[in-house]
Amino acid sequence: MADKRVDLKSFSGSQVGKKILTGITGLGLTLFVLMHMVGNLSFFSPDEQAYNAYAHKLMSLGPLLWAVEIGLLAFVLVHIVLGVRIYLGKRAARPVDYQTYRTVGGASKQSVASRTMIWTGVILGVFLVFHILSFKYGPGVDDGYVTTLNGEEVRDLRRLMVEKFQEPLYAFGYPIVMLLLGFHLRHGIWSALQSLGAVKPAWSPVIYSVAAVIGALIAIGFLVLPLWIFFGGGA
Amino acid sequence: MSKLMTIHLKVWRQASATAEGRFADYTVPNVNPHMSFLEMLDVLNENLTLSGEDPVEFDHDCREGICGSCGIMINGQAHGPNARTATCQLHMRDYSDGDTIVIEPWRAKAFPVIRDLVVDRAPFDRIMSAGGYVSVNSGAAPDANAIPVPKNSVDEAFDYAACIGCGACVAACPNSSASLFTGAKVSHLALLPQGSPERKERVTAMVTQMAEEGFGDCSNHAECEAVCPKGISITAIALMRREYVKAAFGRQ
Ligand code: FES
């Protein structure tokens, strides 16, 4: 047998490496959206300023926040590049498609979610750009979105959010994208955990169910807020 | 005597690897429900021959689910609708009088059509040649109990060794990935002491070869496990990944 050593470059380009890196970056991003969702839910706190306080706390982390942001950006980019490569590889691997194709069910984990990963992914990627532009780089203290928190003047992100989600485009567009996120996570969490080493047959069904629950919880946790605001909450 | 059926077929006809293919419509009368699917195709071919047409070429050998030659896409499902059966183990009693069945060859860039329903599965052989073996000096066979192997390792290795290399995993995979095949071969040997000395070179070479043959990446659809006539679990793929990571980052 030829002794072919695996270096980092050939690892990341190999079918196993691509899968493992997609899984690690995907799980990292899942952890991030989970925290983001919990942060959002502070909007529902009886303390009116809880959300602004949370946002301000994050912004005052300084270099740590920068490091996390750069890390997230790197994760997003790696995840996108690998996802697109896997998709293109799959297209190339079957130049002539079946006239008739259907899953046999049973042990199959094939679903609408699993078959649309590239498309939900693309939509999430585009959404991410708009989302960051509207909120992170949206109007701030200089534009009058200012509130007082413990005597300090801080950005009134709560007001921006309430205003945005009073527009139907945002109020309904966001929940739709969050449903797609739920679909992406439904297959993604399962797939990542399977790729990262479900080496006992009994684990797979458990992981598959857990992924569905986490995916649904994250989608719901995100989409309640825009709808709540649109229908008069938080005004 | 069971009631005979009339079965309509849409069969992929392609004269050669380079020829343009198309679907042809055939009707097979007097199909006995006890016939196997391949016997129904035999009847079709007899009728075609009698009428002066070329018979439909399809691969088959053992007709009892152990050789892995047969393998066709039947109504969009590899080896047909039943779990843990090869095409040769499918029977016409699963169909009803008047049914229309679409029959296609495995579709993958790595498995080019040779003629009609026959595809070239040589890429599997090349994945095996890359490392799916144990290099030992041949000689007198050692006593079966000379090398102790834990019972659960034997059982698991045996499950993976059941792979007959039919290619259904690739055919049914939305990505045309050969991960279940390669995973089964890697895991089978990795679980046994005889396979251990060469495990790193083996997994590296086989995973590399599988990509070079033009198979797609795995996306954990698990369709392969569902269509596998031997019911091989996608755990084989997880084990292959672990082997590969160990080969790449483990102590040399
Ligand atoms: S003909 Fe041998 S497995 Fe079907």
Side-chain angles (χ1 to χ4, degrees), chain A residues 151-202:
Chain A
E152 196 187 343
E153 293 216 321
V154 302
R155 187 184 182 198
D156 193 353
L157 197 59
R158 185 189 167 93
R159 178 181 147 204
L160 178 65
M161 185 141 84
V162 170
E163 284 178 9
K164 286 279 189 204
F165 289 134
Q166 277 163 354
E167 298 172 33
L169 180 68
Y170 281 84
F172 295 102
Y174 265 61
I176 290 171
V177 175
M178 290 306 108
L179 282 177
L180 297 181
L181 172 67
F183 271 94
H184 198 81
L185 293 178
R186 193 276 158 275
H187 181 73
I189 296 173
W190 138 261
S191 180
L193 293 174
Q194 182 67 30
S195 293
L196 294 174
V199 291
K200 288 273 174 288

Side-chain angles (χ1 to χ4, degrees), chain A residues 94 97-104 110, chain B residues 10-12 23 37 41 70-81 87 90 95 101-107 117 119 167-174 223 227:
Chain A
R94 181 164 292 145
D97 209 349
Y98 292 107
Q99 189 212 271
T100 309
Y101 176 87
R102 61 176 72 120
T103 169
V104 294
Q110 203 178 160
Chain B
K10 280 185 180 307
V11 186
W12 183 258
F23 281 95
F37 196 85
L41 289 182
C70 65
I72 28 184
M73 210 66 175
I74 301 168
N75 280 338
Q77 297 172 322
H79 292 305
T87 301
L90 176 64
Y95 296 91
I101 307 173
V102 182
I103 304 177
E104 291 178 78
W106 292 164
R107 298 275 189 209
L117 304 173
V119 300
C169 45
V170 172
C173 175
E223 190 68 30
V227 298

Side-chain angles (χ1 to χ4, degrees), chain B residues 38 59-70 86-88 164:
Chain B
L38 296 185
D59 249 342
H60 61 97
D61 187 13
C62 71
R63 298 211 178 192
E64 57 178 2
I66 54 169
C67 74
S69 325
C70 65
T87 301
C88 56
I164 53 176

Side-chain angles (χ1 to χ4, degrees), chain B residues 120-134:
Chain B
D120 182 5
R121 284 174 293 143
F124 272 9
D125 299 337
R126 289 192 289 267
I127 293 175
M128 289 304 279
S129 314
Y133 54 85
V134 174

Side-chain angles (χ1 to χ4, degrees), chain A:
Chain A
M1 248 174 259
D3 186 5
K4 294 183 196 160
R5 282 281 137 80
V6 185
D7 55 24
L8 205 59
K9 189 168 166 285
S10 57
F11 177 81
S12 60
S14 75
Q15 293 203 348
V16 172
K18 272 189 267 182
K19 215 52 222 155
I20 286 180
L21 290 175
T22 310
I24 291 174
T25 50
L27 285 184
L29 295 170
T30 305
L31 215 58
F32 165 75
V33 289
L34 190 66
M35 292 193 294
H36 187 334
M37 180 203 84
V38 173
N40 279 14
L41 292 178
S42 70
F43 188 95
F44 292 110
S45 157
D47 171 10
E48 280 260 304
Q49 286 292 32
Y51 184 72
N52 278 331
Y54 157 72
H56 181 64
K57 182 112 197 157
L58 277 187
M59 291 312 287
S60 51
L61 288 177
L64 184 63
L65 181 70
W66 276 80
V68 171
E69 283 179 344
I70 290 169
L72 282 172
L73 183 65
F75 268 41
V76 167
L77 292 179
V78 169
H79 198 76
I80 290 177
V81 167
L82 291 174
V84 169
R85 283 185 60 189
I86 290 171
Y87 174 72
L88 294 178
K90 149 209 165 109
R91 292 293 302 265
R94 181 164 292 145
V96 183
D97 209 349
Y98 292 107
Q99 189 212 271
T100 309
Y101 176 87
R102 61 176 72 120
T103 169
V104 294
S108 176
K109 304 277 188 288
Q110 203 178 160
S111 63
V112 179
S114 80
R115 292 186 69 92
T116 54
M117 290 302 273
I118 185 73
W119 307 118
T120 48
V122 165
I123 294 170
L124 288 168
V126 173
F127 165 83
L128 189 63
V129 174
F130 285 104
H131 176 61
I132 291 175
L133 289 179
S134 356
F135 287 97
K136 183 168 168 63
Y137 296 107
V141 178
D142 297 342
D143 310 280
Y145 285 77
V146 64
T147 184
T148 332
L149 197 70
N150 306 325
E152 196 187 343
E153 293 216 321
V154 302
R155 187 184 182 198
D156 193 353
L157 197 59
R158 185 189 167 93
R159 178 181 147 204
L160 178 65
M161 185 141 84
V162 170
E163 284 178 9
K164 286 279 189 204
F165 289 134
Q166 277 163 354
E167 298 172 33
L169 180 68
Y170 281 84
F172 295 102
Y174 265 61
I176 290 171
V177 175
M178 290 306 108
L179 282 177
L180 297 181
L181 172 67
F183 271 94
H184 198 81
L185 293 178
R186 193 276 158 275
H187 181 73
I189 296 173
W190 138 261
S191 180
L193 293 174
Q194 182 67 30
S195 293
L196 294 174
V199 291
K200 288 273 174 288
W203 295 351
S204 295
V206 178
I207 296 173
Y208 193 61
S209 308
V210 167
V213 172
I214 301 178
L217 282 181
I218 291 180
I220 294 167
F222 272 118
L223 63 79
V224 286
L225 190 55
L227 294 176
W228 162 264
I229 292 175
F230 185 78
F231 290 108

